[in-house]
Amino acid sequence: MPSPTPRDGRPYGVSHPRRRARTAMRPRRRTGPSGSPRPDPDDLGPPMTAGTLCVTAEPRPGHRVRLRCLGSIDHEAGPELSRYIQHWVEVSCCVVLDLSGVDRLDASGLSALMIGLHHAERRDGHLRLGRRPSPAADRLLARSGVRTVFEDADAARPCPHRCR
């Protein structure tokens, strides 16, 4: 009985010469704390848009970033915002959320903020709220107690850059 071979006809254990050459020339990638590839902090990419929310990243000195949110943080935008916050927590040492342009904030938006905060704490990063959230966002942050959670996290582990 002949030995099994892959579809390209070579016996198992013999690699393709082009694949071997390509992997040998691959540049070394920087990795984050979890061992995953760390994105370049200078590569801002396009702004995040989901539903009626648009979030732009503004770089600050010292690998810090301000995420400026404009629109509604609701059930459509919440999961995407959570992933976007987690991405920036991986890239920079301090992320400040500017909620001054938020028209509406609901429970899924609060959940996205809390997921981002917990991710930052696990990664030894800093996620902070900006100084002046919009009245609609500030009202829900105060009623739900999320503002207190962010303030307690800031008091327990203050950012060395005093980001705000």
Side-chain angles (χ1 to χ4, degrees):
M1 179 172 181
S3 65
T5 59
R7 283 187 230 167
D8 60 5
R10 290 186 323 274
Y12 281 105
V14 176
S15 63
H16 194 277
R18 274 187 268 157
R19 283 193 195 135
R20 187 173 44 232
R22 201 178 311 147
T23 56
M25 296 174 11
R26 187 175 293 158
R28 232 183 135 113
R29 299 177 84 180
R30 295 181 345 192
T31 58
S34 63
S36 61
R38 178 174 279 210
D40 185 12
D42 297 327
D43 182 21
L44 296 179
M48 184 213 80
T49 55
T52 60
L53 179 68
C54 179
V55 183
T56 56
E58 300 172 355
R60 300 284 188 212
H63 293 288
R64 298 179 296 152
V65 70
R66 175 180 297 272
L67 299 180
R68 188 174 302 270
C69 302
L70 299 170
S72 298
I73 304 177
D74 53 11
H75 67 281
E76 280 184 69
E80 189 66 30
L81 177 63
S82 177
R83 285 189 290 274
Y84 198 66
I85 290 171
Q86 290 176 21
H87 163 77
W88 282 107
V89 165
E90 290 284 329
V91 172
S92 63
C93 68
C94 186
V95 177
V96 178
L97 287 171
D98 181 2
L99 302 177
S100 61
V102 173
D103 302 336
R104 190 169 143 257
L105 180 66
D106 68 2
S108 60
L110 291 176
S111 176
L113 299 179
M114 293 302 297
I115 289 169
L117 180 64
H118 292 301
H119 184 77
E121 289 174 347
R122 283 193 308 269
R123 301 286 186 217
D124 289 329
H126 298 276
L127 178 65
R128 305 296 175 245
L129 294 177
R131 286 191 182 145
R132 291 180 223 106
S134 69
D138 193 40
R139 186 172 43 253
L140 191 59
L141 289 170
R143 283 184 186 166
S144 64
V146 171
R147 185 190 323 151
T148 307
V149 173
F150 272 86
E151 289 169 356
D152 291 347
D154 197 18
R157 232 172 30 96
C159 180
H161 302 289
R162 295 186 203 103
C163 299
R164 280 287 171 197

